[in-house]
Amino acid sequence: MLNFAPSSGQFPRACASRDALLSGECCPSWEGDGSACGASTGRGFCEDVEVSQEPHGPQYPFTGLDDREKWPLVFYNRTCQCTGNFMGFNCGDCKFGLFGVNCNERRQSLRRNIFHLSRAERIRLVSYLNLAKQTISQDYVVPTGTYREMDNGSTPLFTDVSVYDVFVWMHYYVSRNTLLGGPGNVWTNVDFAHWAPGFLPWHRVYLLHWEHEIRKLTGDMSFSIPYWDWRDAEGCDVCTDELMGDRHPQDPNFLSPGSVFSSWRVLCSRPEVYNSRGVLCDARPEGPLRRNPGNHNPNVVQRLPTSADVELALGLTNYDTGALDRTANMSFRNTLEGFGDPRSGMGNSSRMSLHAALHVFMNGTMSSVQGSANDPVFLLHHAFVDCLYEEWLRRHRPALSQYPESNAPIGHNGGYFMVPFLPLHRNREFFISSKDLGYEYSLLLNANQRLSESMVPYLEALRGVWGWLLLAAVCGGLLSVALAALIMHIQYRHSTSTWMHVRKWRNLFALPEREPLIFSPDKEETGYSYQSTM
């Protein structure tokens, strides 16, 4: 059972109580005015949840067996519905891209290539990640049992986790198998955030909330998630101790002890154990991060994705097609997710590519769908996947009707609320440009802006040594002046000395001049010439 603390949620603390579960109401008060959902100041109101009634596809043939069906009705049928620019489970936050007391200040953050960060920015990134991993979340708790195991809300089963691990748990929970009752009795062909149209919008919201939590934790409102551009990479070039952690020198399956991430402990990374027992992950530590990039099964992934692979995907005009799952042909979503062949666009490929290829290539914690978010490489990877999603949206400018409203796999229809987010978000709401959500990617800037942004680490390095360069220049100048003064002093002092008399030395070694040093237009001129290839 959880220890309650002040909160401000995926399962907000105020909504994890017996009373809240039995009433089905998650409408916490906003501390700004003390009223539920900030109603007294018009920020929002506690209202009934209206879920989409559109039919889902045949991939999931059950009803009433999974807590995630028609999210969040199994747990809550009344939640805060925020007005205007306000957002959050208690309407205490601003919508993405908005800031200020009244949420009326628009700002656009920039997600940058991780290799364009200065050394100070890289240190800050690793520090923030580690702080999030070590800090218990004051906003959220996570369930360790199903609603049925909670006696339909009478016996709440929740636990504390860190700010970072809230998001590890969320990624596990949204992709876990359906428990049909009893050990080993599960339905595996289900995922509320993968293998279907909601893959890209869901991960977009996931990153936005993760970014938001880091900002609240650190007070750094300028923080944004960097991305790893893995096109044409020959290996894991972010796997260094300065960044995401190098290999362990004795065992390549683990991280180098020189990396702060080597001390991290993973959770929710053993789906086969949970399935065999017929239970949920209980959020207990399960050992260190594992990673061995490149030592994967080559029959599943041949190589890291190339620029050509990405370009074919970006050229596909349809967001999704057919059954809207892993079999979809000529589907941008399915090809980018990695189940469409990047050479032909045909679905259900025998080898994984693009997004999925990266997960397999990392060969460790990242290669498990449910546990992959334990590895901080996950964030850099998915930021780049989101960047490619954004590039496709800008290139093709799809109508909102391109996102399917019905017959997608369960959880993926346009009007379906994303599992397990509270506050609630519908899939179709994030089938829009990142600019409308307050962020941009440096990769998508114009050429001059990209050049300026990529120079940041070099300018930072120059600033770091500027004082020494200035000191060296001053010392060099003083030395030059002193040397010149010394030479002039010696010349003046010995100007009348016989052995220093210039004319005498010239006469001693002078030779008769046989031919004047003049050029004749009658003679052919020869010599070296310099040519430029510029």
Side-chain angles (χ1 to χ4, degrees), residues 173-463:
Y173 189 78
V174 76
S175 57
R176 69 173 177 83
N177 303 134
T178 294
L179 305 176
L180 300 177
N185 190 18
V186 300
W187 183 260
T188 60
N189 190 25
V190 62
D191 194 309
F192 285 75
H194 301 83
W195 313 339
F199 166 67
L200 292 167
W202 189 92
H203 284 85
R204 171 161 283 191
V205 174
Y206 179 87
L207 292 180
L208 283 165
H209 273 290
W210 192 91
E211 209 168 51
H212 179 68
E213 290 302 310
I214 290 292
R215 289 172 179 170
K216 287 202 298 183
L217 175 65
T218 63
D220 184 355
M221 294 297 112
S222 67
F223 172 78
S224 59
I225 302 170
Y227 62 88
W228 173 28
D229 184 346
W230 34 249
R231 292 173 298 177
D232 306 312
E234 296 182 359
C236 182
D237 47 12
V238 296
C239 295
T240 66
D241 282 347
E242 184 190 21
L243 294 175
M244 299 297 105
D246 207 341
R247 296 178 191 270
H248 196 289
Q250 277 76 48
D251 190 337
N253 292 304
F254 296 98
L255 272 60
S256 161
S259 168
V260 67
F261 302 120
S262 65
S263 65
W264 282 23
R265 293 298 177 263
V266 302
L267 65 150
C268 300
S269 65
R270 300 174 180 173
E272 65 285 347
V273 173
Y274 319 137
N275 288 347
S276 66
R277 295 170 53 200
V279 298
L280 291 182
C281 157
D282 60 9
R284 293 179 184 175
E286 297 173 341
L289 274 171
R290 292 176 176 267
R291 193 193 297 156
N292 194 347
N295 292 301
H296 59 284
N297 185 348
N299 294 321
V300 179
V301 170
Q302 284 185 304
R303 51 174 170 72
L304 285 172
T306 66
S307 297
D309 296 337
V310 169
E311 189 54 38
L312 183 137
L314 290 172
L316 297 172
T317 57
N318 292 315
Y319 178 72
D320 223 335
T321 61
L324 307 172
D325 57 16
R326 284 169 287 184
T327 67
N329 297 324
M330 309 306 289
S331 155
F332 165 70
R333 186 276 314 163
N334 197 37
T335 305
L336 178 57
E337 191 171 358
F339 303 108
D341 192 320
R343 297 164 297 183
S344 65
M346 300 303 291
N348 221 15
S349 175
S350 60
R351 287 194 172 100
M352 295 183 185
S353 62
L354 295 176
H355 155 262
L358 254 293
H359 281 278
V360 174
F361 176 84
M362 299 309 292
N363 190 32
T365 303
M366 271 276 283
S367 60
S368 164
V369 175
Q370 296 178 25
S372 57
N374 278 288
D375 193 327
V377 171
F378 178 97
L379 295 166
L380 310 183
H381 169 42
H382 271 276
F384 187 59
V385 171
D386 186 69
C387 176
L388 298 178
Y389 173 40
E390 180 62 23
E391 185 170 355
W392 184 86
L393 287 171
R394 295 188 193 182
R395 184 180 297 191
H396 298 282
R397 301 184 181 278
L400 188 58
S401 59
Q402 266 220 43
Y403 194 96
E405 281 298 311
S406 62
N407 298 315
I410 188 168
H412 291 264
N413 285 344
Y416 210 104
F417 288 121
M418 296 178 178
V419 176
F421 289 104
L422 287 171
L424 301 174
H425 305 290
R426 297 186 191 271
N427 288 310
R428 63 167 173 258
E429 294 171 354
F430 294 85
F431 193 63
I432 59 174
S433 172
S434 69
K435 290 184 176 181
D436 297 325
L437 299 168
Y439 69 101
E440 172 65 291
Y441 284 99
S442 62
L443 184 68
L444 304 181
L445 298 173
N446 64 46
N448 290 334
Q449 291 173 317
R450 288 201 307 272
L451 177 61
S452 175
E453 185 273 333
S454 67
M455 292 298 292
V456 168
Y458 305 105
L459 295 175
E460 180 74 14
L462 185 61
R463 280 197 295 269

Side-chain angles (χ1 to χ4, degrees), residues 21-248:
L21 291 171
L22 290 177
S23 68
E25 183 172 292
C26 181
C27 294
S29 62
W30 175 53
E31 58 274 16
D33 62 12
S35 66
C37 311
S40 65
T41 50
R43 295 178 76 97
F45 303 94
C46 188
E47 297 181 357
D48 293 341
V49 175
E50 296 182 6
V51 300
S52 170
Q53 300 299 327
E54 294 294 332
H56 59 74
Q59 297 88 349
Y60 181 79
F62 309 105
T63 300
L65 285 177
D66 196 309
D67 292 346
R68 300 168 295 181
E69 296 175 28
K70 295 187 181 299
W71 179 261
L73 291 188
V74 168
F75 293 99
Y76 311 109
N77 52 38
R78 284 174 64 79
T79 65
C80 290
Q81 308 295 310
C82 306
T83 62
N85 294 336
F86 303 113
M87 188 183 76
F89 60 81
N90 63 355
C91 301
D93 291 327
C94 301
K95 286 184 176 180
F96 300 122
L98 295 169
F99 298 83
V101 175
N102 296 314
C103 299
N104 55 4
E105 299 173 21
R106 292 193 176 275
R107 302 181 205 163
Q108 184 168 278
S109 61
L110 183 66
R111 291 184 181 171
R112 299 164 54 204
N113 188 319
I114 191 167
F115 293 110
H116 294 169
L117 301 184
S118 68
R119 185 172 183 274
E121 289 169 331
R122 296 183 190 189
I123 292 172
R124 185 165 64 235
L125 169 66
V126 173
S127 298
Y128 284 179
L129 287 169
N130 197 46
L131 178 64
K133 182 70 172 180
Q134 309 303 330
T135 305
I136 296 298
S137 173
Q138 296 300 300
D139 292 346
Y140 302 101
V141 292
V142 301
T144 58
T146 64
Y147 191 70
R148 181 177 297 177
E149 290 172 329
M150 296 184 197
D151 296 326
N152 297 326
S154 297
T155 309
L157 297 172
F158 296 90
T159 191
D160 288 325
V161 293
S162 71
V163 172
Y164 188 97
D165 286 338
V166 166
F167 290 89
V168 172
W169 176 87
M170 289 174 69
H171 198 264
Y172 151 77
Y173 189 78
V174 76
S175 57
R176 69 173 177 83
N177 303 134
T178 294
L179 305 176
L180 300 177
N185 190 18
V186 300
W187 183 260
T188 60
N189 190 25
V190 62
D191 194 309
F192 285 75
H194 301 83
W195 313 339
F199 166 67
L200 292 167
W202 189 92
H203 284 85
R204 171 161 283 191
V205 174
Y206 179 87
L207 292 180
L208 283 165
H209 273 290
W210 192 91
E211 209 168 51
H212 179 68
E213 290 302 310
I214 290 292
R215 289 172 179 170
K216 287 202 298 183
L217 175 65
T218 63
D220 184 355
M221 294 297 112
S222 67
F223 172 78
S224 59
I225 302 170
Y227 62 88
W228 173 28
D229 184 346
W230 34 249
R231 292 173 298 177
D232 306 312
E234 296 182 359
C236 182
D237 47 12
V238 296
C239 295
T240 66
D241 282 347
E242 184 190 21
L243 294 175
M244 299 297 105
D246 207 341
R247 296 178 191 270
H248 196 289

